[in-house]
Amino acid sequence: MRGLNRVTLIGNLGNVPEFQALEGGVSVAKFSLATTETFKDKNGQNHSDTEWHTVVLWRSLADLAHQYLKKGSSVYVEGKLKTRNYDVKDGSKRYVTEIIADQIIILDKRTNADE
Amino acid sequence: MRGLNRVTLIGNLGNVPEFQALEGGVSVAKFSLATTETFKDKNGQNHSDTEWHTVVLWRSLADLAHQYLKKGSSVYVEGKLKTRNYDVKDGSKRYVTEIIADQIIILDKRTNADE
Amino acid sequence: MRGLNRVTLIGNLGNVPEFQALEGGVSVAKFSLATTETFKDKNGQNHSDTEWHTVVLWRSLADLAHQYLKKGSSVYVEGKLKTRNYDVKDGSKRYVTEIIADQIIILDKRTNADE
Amino acid sequence: MRGLNRVTLIGNLGNVPEFQALEGGVSVAKFSLATTETFKDKNGQNHSDTEWHTVVLWRSLADLAHQYLKKGSSVYVEGKLKTRNYDVKDGSKRYVTEIIADQIIILDKRTNADE
DNA sequence: TTTT
DNA sequence: TTTT
Protein backbone atom coordinates (compact mmCIF):
# COMPACT_ATOMS: atom_id res chain seq x y z
CA MET A 1 0.00 0.00 0.00
CA ARG A 2 1.41 3.39 -0.94
CA GLY A 3 -1.35 5.84 -0.21
CA LEU A 4 -4.25 6.22 2.16
CA ASN A 5 -7.71 7.52 1.32
CA ARG A 6 -10.12 6.90 4.15
CA VAL A 7 -13.31 8.49 5.38
CA THR A 8 -15.21 7.58 8.55
CA LEU A 9 -18.61 9.01 9.29
CA ILE A 10 -21.29 8.61 11.95
CA GLY A 11 -24.58 10.22 11.06
CA ASN A 12 -28.19 9.86 9.98
CA LEU A 13 -29.72 9.14 6.59
CA GLY A 14 -31.58 12.01 5.00
CA ASN A 15 -33.56 9.72 2.70
CA VAL A 16 -34.45 6.12 1.99
CA PRO A 17 -31.48 4.54 0.14
CA GLU A 18 -32.01 4.62 -3.64
CA PHE A 19 -31.43 1.08 -4.79
CA GLN A 20 -30.71 -0.32 -8.24
CA ALA A 21 -30.11 -3.86 -9.41
CA LEU A 22 -27.82 -3.50 -12.41
CA GLU A 23 -27.40 -6.01 -15.18
CA GLY A 24 -25.16 -8.88 -14.23
CA GLY A 25 -26.58 -9.12 -10.73
CA VAL A 26 -24.62 -6.21 -9.31
CA SER A 27 -26.51 -3.88 -6.99
CA VAL A 28 -25.85 -0.27 -6.00
CA ALA A 29 -27.36 1.92 -3.35
CA LYS A 30 -26.94 5.60 -2.62
CA PHE A 31 -28.03 7.82 0.25
CA SER A 32 -27.36 11.20 1.82
CA LEU A 33 -25.82 11.17 5.26
CA ALA A 34 -25.89 14.10 7.67
CA THR A 35 -23.07 14.46 10.19
CA THR A 36 -23.75 16.99 12.89
CA GLU A 37 -21.12 18.76 14.89
CA THR A 38 -22.01 20.67 18.03
CA PHE A 39 -19.81 23.34 19.50
CA LYS A 40 -19.88 26.35 21.78
CA ASP A 41 -19.01 29.76 20.30
CA LYS A 42 -16.87 32.33 22.14
CA ASN A 43 -19.97 33.61 23.94
CA GLY A 44 -20.73 30.15 25.31
CA GLN A 45 -23.73 29.69 22.98
CA ASN A 46 -24.36 26.18 21.63
CA HIS A 47 -24.34 25.80 17.88
CA SER A 48 -24.59 22.90 15.52
CA ASP A 49 -23.31 22.48 12.04
CA THR A 50 -24.59 19.82 9.66
CA GLU A 51 -22.65 18.51 6.73
CA TRP A 52 -24.24 16.36 4.02
CA HIS A 53 -22.37 13.49 2.34
CA THR A 54 -23.27 11.29 -0.59
CA VAL A 55 -22.59 7.64 0.24
CA VAL A 56 -22.47 4.98 -2.47
CA LEU A 57 -22.57 1.25 -1.71
CA TRP A 58 -22.00 -1.70 -4.00
CA ARG A 59 -23.04 -5.36 -3.97
CA SER A 60 -23.72 -6.87 -0.55
CA LEU A 61 -23.40 -3.49 1.18
CA ALA A 62 -26.02 -2.11 -1.20
CA ASP A 63 -28.31 -5.03 -0.33
CA LEU A 64 -27.73 -4.49 3.38
CA ALA A 65 -28.50 -0.78 3.09
CA HIS A 66 -31.61 -1.51 1.01
CA GLN A 67 -32.89 -4.03 3.52
CA TYR A 68 -32.10 -2.38 6.85
CA LEU A 69 -31.60 1.35 6.44
CA LYS A 70 -34.36 3.88 6.24
CA LYS A 71 -34.72 7.64 6.45
CA GLY A 72 -33.28 8.76 9.78
CA SER A 73 -31.30 5.58 10.46
CA SER A 74 -28.09 6.04 12.38
CA VAL A 75 -25.05 4.47 10.79
CA TYR A 76 -21.26 4.28 10.87
CA VAL A 77 -19.75 4.41 7.38
CA GLU A 78 -16.17 3.72 6.36
CA GLY A 79 -14.96 4.20 2.82
CA LYS A 80 -12.94 6.26 0.43
CA LEU A 81 -13.37 9.57 -1.37
CA LYS A 82 -13.96 9.55 -5.09
CA THR A 83 -14.59 12.56 -7.28
CA ARG A 84 -16.50 11.86 -10.49
CA ASN A 85 -17.01 14.23 -13.36
CA TYR A 86 -19.87 14.33 -15.78
CA ASP A 87 -20.65 16.41 -18.80
CA VAL A 88 -23.36 19.03 -18.86
CA LYS A 89 -25.39 20.16 -21.86
CA ASP A 90 -23.47 23.40 -22.28
CA GLY A 91 -20.29 21.40 -22.90
CA SER A 92 -18.71 22.04 -19.51
CA LYS A 93 -17.93 19.52 -16.78
CA ARG A 94 -19.32 19.14 -13.30
CA TYR A 95 -17.65 17.42 -10.39
CA VAL A 96 -19.19 15.52 -7.54
CA THR A 97 -17.41 13.96 -4.57
CA GLU A 98 -18.84 10.76 -3.12
CA ILE A 99 -17.90 8.32 -0.39
CA ILE A 100 -17.61 4.77 -1.71
CA ALA A 101 -18.38 2.68 1.38
CA ASP A 102 -16.49 -0.45 2.25
CA GLN A 103 -17.92 -1.05 5.71
CA ILE A 104 -21.06 0.01 7.53
CA ILE A 105 -22.33 -0.55 11.06
CA ILE A 106 -26.02 -0.03 11.65
CA LEU A 107 -26.37 1.80 14.95
CA ASP A 108 -30.13 1.66 15.48
CA LYS A 109 -31.41 -1.07 17.70
CA ARG A 110 -34.66 -1.59 15.89
CA THR A 111 -33.36 -1.82 12.38
CA ASN A 112 -30.27 -3.82 13.23
CA ALA A 113 -29.18 -6.33 10.61
CA ASP A 114 -28.21 -8.92 13.23
CA GLU A 115 -31.69 -9.20 14.76
CA MET B 1 -20.08 14.59 20.35
CA ARG B 2 -22.99 13.34 18.26
CA GLY B 3 -21.59 12.81 14.78
CA LEU B 4 -18.31 11.89 13.18
CA ASN B 5 -16.85 13.42 10.02
CA ARG B 6 -13.25 12.39 9.58
CA VAL B 7 -10.92 11.98 6.64
CA THR B 8 -7.39 10.57 6.76
CA LEU B 9 -5.10 10.74 3.75
CA ILE B 10 -1.51 9.84 2.93
CA GLY B 11 -0.30 11.18 -0.39
CA ASN B 12 1.80 13.67 -2.32
CA LEU B 13 1.24 17.33 -3.10
CA GLY B 14 0.50 18.12 -6.72
CA ASN B 15 1.51 21.77 -6.34
CA VAL B 16 3.17 24.26 -4.04
CA PRO B 17 0.65 25.24 -1.35
CA GLU B 18 -1.19 28.45 -2.29
CA PHE B 19 -0.82 30.69 0.72
CA GLN B 20 -2.75 33.80 1.77
CA ALA B 21 -2.41 36.01 4.79
CA LEU B 22 -5.89 37.36 5.37
CA GLU B 23 -6.76 40.52 7.20
CA GLY B 24 -6.67 40.11 10.96
CA GLY B 25 -3.58 37.96 10.88
CA VAL B 26 -5.35 34.75 9.87
CA SER B 27 -3.59 32.64 7.24
CA VAL B 28 -4.97 30.02 4.85
CA ALA B 29 -3.24 27.52 2.61
CA LYS B 30 -4.61 25.17 -0.01
CA PHE B 31 -3.08 22.33 -2.01
CA SER B 32 -4.01 19.33 -4.13
CA LEU B 33 -3.14 15.95 -2.70
CA ALA B 34 -2.88 12.77 -4.76
CA THR B 35 -3.59 9.46 -3.05
CA THR B 36 -2.58 6.45 -5.08
CA GLU B 37 -4.04 3.01 -4.71
CA THR B 38 -2.35 0.01 -6.30
CA PHE B 39 -4.17 -3.23 -7.00
CA LYS B 40 -4.02 -6.35 -9.13
CA ASP B 41 -6.85 -6.99 -11.58
CA LYS B 42 -8.37 -10.43 -12.18
CA ASN B 43 -5.61 -11.18 -14.72
CA GLY B 44 -2.91 -10.46 -12.16
CA GLN B 45 -1.93 -7.19 -13.84
CA ASN B 46 -0.84 -4.33 -11.57
CA HIS B 47 -2.86 -1.16 -11.81
CA SER B 48 -2.85 2.10 -9.96
CA ASP B 49 -5.59 4.59 -9.39
CA THR B 50 -4.98 8.17 -8.34
CA GLU B 51 -7.50 10.33 -6.60
CA TRP B 52 -7.05 14.07 -6.16
CA HIS B 53 -8.19 15.90 -3.04
CA THR B 54 -8.35 19.60 -2.20
CA VAL B 55 -6.89 20.23 1.25
CA VAL B 56 -7.46 23.51 3.07
CA LEU B 57 -5.46 24.55 6.12
CA TRP B 58 -5.99 27.46 8.48
CA ARG B 59 -3.76 29.45 10.84
CA SER B 60 -0.71 27.60 12.20
CA LEU B 61 -1.30 24.61 9.90
CA ALA B 62 -1.33 27.00 6.94
CA ASP B 63 1.97 28.48 8.11
CA LEU B 64 3.46 25.01 8.55
CA ALA B 65 2.36 23.96 5.06
CA HIS B 66 3.66 27.21 3.58
CA GLN B 67 7.04 26.79 5.24
CA TYR B 68 7.73 23.09 4.84
CA LEU B 69 5.62 21.59 2.07
CA LYS B 70 6.46 21.76 -1.60
CA LYS B 71 5.32 20.09 -4.80
CA GLY B 72 5.76 16.35 -4.38
CA SER B 73 6.00 16.39 -0.57
CA SER B 74 4.63 13.34 1.18
CA VAL B 75 2.17 14.08 3.94
CA TYR B 76 -0.40 12.57 6.30
CA VAL B 77 -3.54 14.73 6.54
CA GLU B 78 -6.39 14.41 8.98
CA GLY B 79 -9.46 16.55 8.78
CA LYS B 80 -13.11 16.79 7.91
CA LEU B 81 -15.17 16.99 4.74
CA LYS B 82 -16.88 20.24 3.89
CA THR B 83 -18.90 20.96 0.77
CA ARG B 84 -19.09 24.61 -0.22
CA ASN B 85 -21.29 26.10 -2.87
CA TYR B 86 -20.67 29.17 -4.95
CA ASP B 87 -22.68 31.04 -7.56
CA VAL B 88 -21.84 31.02 -11.21
CA LYS B 89 -22.53 33.77 -13.71
CA ASP B 90 -25.46 31.93 -15.31
CA GLY B 91 -27.26 32.00 -11.96
CA SER B 92 -26.72 28.36 -11.07
CA LYS B 93 -24.73 26.94 -8.18
CA ARG B 94 -21.58 24.84 -8.16
CA TYR B 95 -20.44 22.57 -5.36
CA VAL B 96 -16.94 21.72 -4.30
CA THR B 97 -15.89 19.30 -1.58
CA GLU B 98 -12.74 20.08 0.38
CA ILE B 99 -10.88 18.55 3.31
CA ILE B 100 -10.40 21.04 6.13
CA ALA B 101 -7.25 19.77 7.82
CA ASP B 102 -6.85 19.64 11.57
CA GLN B 103 -3.58 17.70 11.73
CA ILE B 104 -0.74 17.04 9.35
CA ILE B 105 2.42 14.95 9.60
CA ILE B 106 5.18 15.71 7.14
CA LEU B 107 6.60 12.41 5.95
CA ASP B 108 9.65 13.55 3.98
CA LYS B 109 12.92 13.50 5.80
CA ARG B 110 14.44 16.47 4.05
CA THR B 111 11.57 18.85 4.47
CA ASN B 112 10.70 17.84 7.98
CA ALA B 113 9.44 20.60 10.22
CA ASP B 114 11.31 19.22 13.22
CA GLU B 115 14.76 19.54 11.70
CA MET C 1 2.82 16.45 14.85
CA ARG C 2 5.44 13.76 14.24
CA GLY C 3 3.72 10.53 15.22
CA LEU C 4 0.24 9.07 15.22
CA ASN C 5 -1.28 6.91 17.96
CA ARG C 6 -4.99 6.48 17.45
CA VAL C 7 -7.57 3.89 18.42
CA THR C 8 -11.22 3.86 17.33
CA LEU C 9 -13.69 1.42 18.83
CA ILE C 10 -17.40 0.72 18.59
CA GLY C 11 -18.69 -1.70 21.22
CA ASN C 12 -20.65 -2.30 24.41
CA LEU C 13 -19.76 -1.66 28.03
CA GLY C 14 -19.23 -4.77 30.12
CA ASN C 15 -19.77 -2.89 33.37
CA VAL C 16 -20.97 0.36 34.86
CA PRO C 17 -18.17 2.92 34.52
CA GLU C 18 -16.06 3.12 37.69
CA PHE C 19 -15.96 6.78 38.60
CA GLN C 20 -13.63 8.71 40.88
CA ALA C 21 -13.51 12.38 41.76
CA LEU C 22 -9.84 13.03 42.51
CA GLU C 23 -8.50 15.85 44.63
CA GLY C 24 -8.36 19.14 42.79
CA GLY C 25 -11.69 18.56 41.08
CA VAL C 26 -10.36 16.19 38.43
CA SER C 27 -12.52 13.18 37.65
CA VAL C 28 -11.64 9.82 36.07
CA ALA C 29 -13.78 7.00 34.78
CA LYS C 30 -12.87 3.56 33.55
CA PHE C 31 -14.84 0.81 31.84
CA SER C 32 -14.42 -2.40 29.87
CA LEU C 33 -15.54 -2.29 26.29
CA ALA C 34 -16.31 -5.37 24.18
CA THR C 35 -15.82 -5.16 20.43
CA THR C 36 -17.31 -8.07 18.54
CA GLU C 37 -16.20 -9.20 15.14
CA THR C 38 -18.30 -11.64 13.14
CA PHE C 39 -16.91 -13.70 10.28
CA LYS C 40 -17.56 -16.80 8.25
CA ASP C 41 -14.98 -19.61 8.42
CA LYS C 42 -13.93 -21.61 5.35
CA ASN C 43 -16.90 -23.94 5.87
CA GLY C 44 -19.32 -21.03 5.75
CA GLN C 45 -20.05 -21.23 9.47
CA ASN C 46 -20.67 -17.96 11.31
CA HIS C 47 -18.32 -17.17 14.14
CA SER C 48 -17.84 -14.22 16.43
CA ASP C 49 -14.80 -13.06 18.29
CA THR C 50 -14.96 -10.64 21.20
CA GLU C 51 -12.09 -8.51 22.32
CA TRP C 52 -12.10 -6.60 25.63
CA HIS C 53 -10.55 -3.17 25.99
CA THR C 54 -9.93 -0.99 29.02
CA VAL C 55 -11.06 2.57 28.37
CA VAL C 56 -9.98 5.43 30.63
CA LEU C 57 -11.63 8.85 30.53
CA TRP C 58 -10.60 12.08 32.22
CA ARG C 59 -12.45 15.26 33.28
CA SER C 60 -15.56 16.12 31.29
CA LEU C 61 -15.48 12.81 29.39
CA ALA C 62 -15.39 11.00 32.74
CA ASP C 63 -18.41 13.01 33.88
CA LEU C 64 -20.25 12.24 30.64
CA ALA C 65 -19.53 8.52 30.97
CA HIS C 66 -20.59 8.55 34.62
CA GLN C 67 -23.84 10.30 33.83
CA TYR C 68 -24.97 8.57 30.63
CA LEU C 69 -23.24 5.21 30.21
CA LYS C 70 -24.31 2.02 31.88
CA LYS C 71 -23.63 -1.68 31.56
CA GLY C 72 -24.44 -2.71 27.99
CA SER C 73 -24.40 0.82 26.53
CA SER C 74 -23.24 1.10 22.95
CA VAL C 75 -20.52 3.66 22.36
CA TYR C 76 -17.95 4.97 19.86
CA VAL C 77 -14.59 5.67 21.51
CA GLU C 78 -11.63 7.48 20.03
CA GLY C 79 -8.34 7.79 21.87
CA LYS C 80 -4.76 6.68 22.15
CA LEU C 81 -2.95 3.61 23.43
CA LYS C 82 -0.96 3.90 26.63
CA THR C 83 0.89 1.09 28.36
CA ARG C 84 1.42 1.56 32.09
CA ASN C 85 3.58 -0.54 34.32
CA TYR C 86 3.13 -1.18 38.00
CA ASP C 87 5.14 -3.05 40.57
CA VAL C 88 4.04 -6.33 42.06
CA LYS C 89 4.88 -7.63 45.52
CA ASP C 90 7.47 -10.10 44.24
CA GLY C 91 9.52 -7.21 42.86
CA SER C 92 8.62 -7.73 39.19
CA LYS C 93 6.68 -5.43 36.94
CA ARG C 94 3.35 -5.87 35.24
CA TYR C 95 2.15 -4.06 32.13
CA VAL C 96 -1.33 -3.04 31.19
CA THR C 97 -2.44 -1.36 27.97
CA GLU C 98 -5.32 1.08 28.14
CA ILE C 99 -7.13 3.38 25.73
CA ILE C 100 -7.11 6.98 26.94
CA ALA C 101 -10.26 8.38 25.35
CA ASP C 102 -10.40 11.82 23.80
CA GLN C 103 -13.82 11.58 22.17
CA ILE C 104 -16.90 9.45 22.72
CA ILE C 105 -20.24 9.21 20.94
CA ILE C 106 -23.08 7.57 22.81
CA LEU C 107 -24.92 5.34 20.35
CA ASP C 108 -27.97 4.32 22.38
CA LYS C 109 -31.05 6.39 21.82
CA ARG C 110 -32.39 6.02 25.31
CA THR C 111 -29.26 7.01 27.16
CA ASN C 112 -28.26 9.70 24.74
CA ALA C 113 -26.58 12.72 26.26
CA ASP C 114 -28.31 15.05 23.84
CA GLU C 115 -31.83 14.16 24.89
CA MET D 1 -20.20 -5.57 10.84
CA ARG D 2 -21.31 -4.99 14.41
CA GLY D 3 -18.22 -3.69 16.18
CA LEU D 4 -15.15 -1.68 15.37
CA ASN D 5 -11.64 -2.34 16.64
CA ARG D 6 -9.11 -0.24 14.78
CA VAL D 7 -5.68 1.13 15.53
CA THR D 8 -3.67 3.50 13.31
CA LEU D 9 -0.07 4.35 14.09
CA ILE D 10 2.74 6.34 12.48
CA GLY D 11 6.13 5.79 14.08
CA ASN D 12 9.60 4.27 13.92
CA LEU D 13 10.77 0.71 14.44
CA GLY D 14 12.84 0.16 17.56
CA ASN D 15 14.35 -3.07 16.20
CA VAL D 16 14.76 -5.20 13.12
CA PRO D 17 11.51 -7.16 12.60
CA GLU D 18 11.76 -10.66 14.13
CA PHE D 19 10.72 -13.00 11.37
CA GLN D 20 9.59 -16.63 11.48
CA ALA D 21 8.54 -18.99 8.73
CA LEU D 22 6.10 -21.34 10.41
CA GLU D 23 5.25 -24.82 9.23
CA GLY D 24 2.75 -24.82 6.40
CA GLY D 25 4.38 -21.84 4.72
CA VAL D 26 2.84 -19.21 6.98
CA SER D 27 5.16 -16.39 8.04
CA VAL D 28 4.96 -14.02 11.03
CA ALA D 29 6.89 -10.91 11.87
CA LYS D 30 6.93 -8.79 14.99
CA PHE D 31 8.46 -5.43 15.83
CA SER D 32 8.32 -2.62 18.36
CA LEU D 33 7.02 0.69 17.11
CA ALA D 34 7.60 4.01 18.85
CA THR D 35 5.02 6.76 18.41
CA THR D 36 6.18 10.15 19.63
CA GLU D 37 3.89 12.94 20.66
CA THR D 38 5.23 16.46 21.14
CA PHE D 39 3.43 19.08 23.18
CA LYS D 40 4.00 22.33 25.02
CA ASP D 41 3.40 22.39 28.77
CA LYS D 42 1.69 25.31 30.53
CA ASN D 43 5.05 27.12 30.76
CA GLY D 44 5.52 26.89 27.01
CA GLN D 45 8.27 24.27 27.33
CA ASN D 46 8.41 21.61 24.61
CA HIS D 47 8.06 18.03 25.75
CA SER D 48 7.83 14.72 23.98
CA ASP D 49 6.26 11.48 25.05
CA THR D 50 7.05 8.16 23.43
CA GLU D 51 4.77 5.18 23.51
CA TRP D 52 5.93 1.68 22.47
CA HIS D 53 3.65 -0.72 20.63
CA THR D 54 4.07 -4.35 19.69
CA VAL D 55 3.05 -4.91 16.08
CA VAL D 56 2.43 -8.42 14.71
CA LEU D 57 2.18 -9.14 10.98
CA TRP D 58 1.11 -12.32 9.22
CA ARG D 59 1.76 -13.80 5.77
CA SER D 60 2.50 -11.31 2.98
CA LEU D 61 2.68 -8.40 5.42
CA ALA D 62 5.28 -10.35 7.41
CA ASP D 63 7.27 -10.92 4.23
CA LEU D 64 7.05 -7.24 3.33
CA ALA D 65 8.21 -6.17 6.80
CA HIS D 66 11.04 -8.72 6.70
CA GLN D 67 12.21 -7.50 3.31
CA TYR D 68 11.86 -3.74 3.58
CA LEU D 69 11.75 -2.63 7.23
CA LYS D 70 14.74 -2.17 9.43
CA LYS D 71 15.57 -0.58 12.76
CA GLY D 72 14.52 3.07 12.58
CA SER D 73 12.23 2.70 9.56
CA SER D 74 9.24 5.00 9.47
CA VAL D 75 5.92 3.27 8.88
CA TYR D 76 2.15 3.69 8.93
CA VAL D 77 0.40 0.71 10.54
CA GLU D 78 -3.30 -0.09 10.56
CA GLY D 79 -4.70 -3.03 12.47
CA LYS D 80 -6.65 -4.21 15.45
CA LEU D 81 -5.99 -4.65 19.16
CA LYS D 82 -5.69 -8.14 20.53
CA THR D 83 -4.89 -9.06 24.13
CA ARG D 84 -3.30 -12.48 24.58
CA ASN D 85 -2.71 -14.26 27.85
CA TYR D 86 -0.02 -16.75 28.64
CA ASP D 87 0.77 -18.83 31.70
CA VAL D 88 3.76 -18.15 33.91
CA LYS D 89 5.67 -20.69 35.98
CA ASP D 90 4.09 -19.61 39.27
CA GLY D 91 0.66 -20.60 37.91
CA SER D 92 -0.58 -17.06 37.27
CA LYS D 93 -1.43 -15.46 33.94
CA ARG D 94 0.14 -12.55 32.15
CA TYR D 95 -1.53 -10.39 29.54
CA VAL D 96 -0.01 -8.66 26.58
CA THR D 97 -1.73 -6.35 24.12
CA GLU D 98 -0.55 -6.39 20.53
CA ILE D 99 -1.58 -4.71 17.28
CA ILE D 100 -2.35 -7.25 14.58
CA ALA D 101 -1.58 -5.31 11.39
CA ASP D 102 -3.75 -5.50 8.32
CA GLN D 103 -2.14 -2.70 6.30
CA ILE D 104 1.22 -0.98 6.35
CA ILE D 105 2.67 1.90 4.36
CA ILE D 106 6.44 2.25 4.34
CA LEU D 107 7.25 5.94 4.70
CA ASP D 108 11.01 5.99 4.10
CA LYS D 109 12.05 6.81 0.59
CA ARG D 110 15.15 4.66 0.64
CA THR D 111 13.55 1.49 1.91
CA ASN D 112 10.36 1.88 -0.05
CA ALA D 113 8.83 -1.33 -1.32
CA ASP D 114 7.75 0.32 -4.55
CA GLU D 115 11.22 1.26 -5.68
C1' DT E 1 14.47 -0.03 21.53
C1' DT E 2 13.01 4.40 17.35
C1' DT E 3 12.82 9.09 15.17
C1' DT E 4 13.39 14.54 14.70
C1' DT F 1 -18.08 -8.54 31.76
C1' DT F 2 -21.21 -6.54 26.78
C1' DT F 3 -24.19 -6.69 22.56
C1' DT F 4 -27.06 -8.85 18.39
Side-chain angles (χ1 to χ4, degrees), chain C:
Chain C
M1 200 162 79
R2 277 167 48 198
L4 179 70
N5 170 0
R6 168 160 290 148
V7 184
T8 46
L9 306 170
I10 292 178
N12 299 282
L13 275 75
N15 57 355
V16 173
E18 296 165 33
F19 181 81
Q20 275 184 73
L22 303 181
E23 305 179 40
V26 177
S27 44
V28 213
K30 186 184 284 203
F31 56 76
S32 284
L33 189 77
T35 57
T36 300
E37 193 184 358
T38 50
F39 58 96
K40 278 194 178 17
D41 66 17
K42 34 202 164 180
N43 307 317
Q45 292 280 50
N46 280 312
H47 289 272
S48 80
D49 219 348
T50 293
E51 190 65 33
W52 287 95
H53 311 270
T54 301
V55 177
V56 177
L57 313 100
W58 288 91
R59 299 165 200 272
S60 61
L61 282 181
D63 300 337
L64 193 74
H66 179 48
Q67 207 176 344
Y68 294 107
L69 295 178
K70 45 181 211 266
K71 190 170 173 172
S73 289
S74 176
V75 72
Y76 167 87
V77 172
E78 194 175 295
K80 62 181 173 189
L81 285 171
K82 201 166 185 66
T83 298
R84 285 190 304 108
N85 61 70
Y86 55 93
D87 300 306
V88 247
K89 287 168 272 175
D90 67 9
S92 68
K93 275 192 184 319
R94 288 291 194 292
Y95 296 86
V96 56
T97 299
E98 299 169 324
I99 290 104
I100 313 301
D102 41 50
Q103 288 286 7
I104 66 173
I105 301 179
I106 300 174
L107 301 172
D108 295 292
K109 280 288 160 41
R110 284 146 305 165
T111 55
N112 198 304
D114 297 299
E115 273 173 37

Side-chain angles (χ1 to χ4, degrees), chain B residues 17 31 33 45 80 100 105 115:
Chain B
F31 57 76
L33 190 76
Q45 292 281 50
K80 63 181 173 190
I100 314 300
I105 302 179
E115 276 173 34

Side-chain angles (χ1 to χ4, degrees), chain A residues 3 5 7 11 21 27 35 38 46 48 52 59 63 65 68 80-81 84 86 88 92-93 95 98 101 108-109:
Chain A
N5 172 359
V7 184
S27 43
T35 56
T38 50
N46 280 312
S48 78
W52 286 95
R59 300 165 201 273
D63 300 336
Y68 295 108
K80 63 180 172 191
L81 285 171
R84 286 190 301 110
Y86 57 93
V88 247
S92 68
K93 275 191 183 321
Y95 296 87
E98 299 169 323
D108 294 291
K109 280 292 160 38

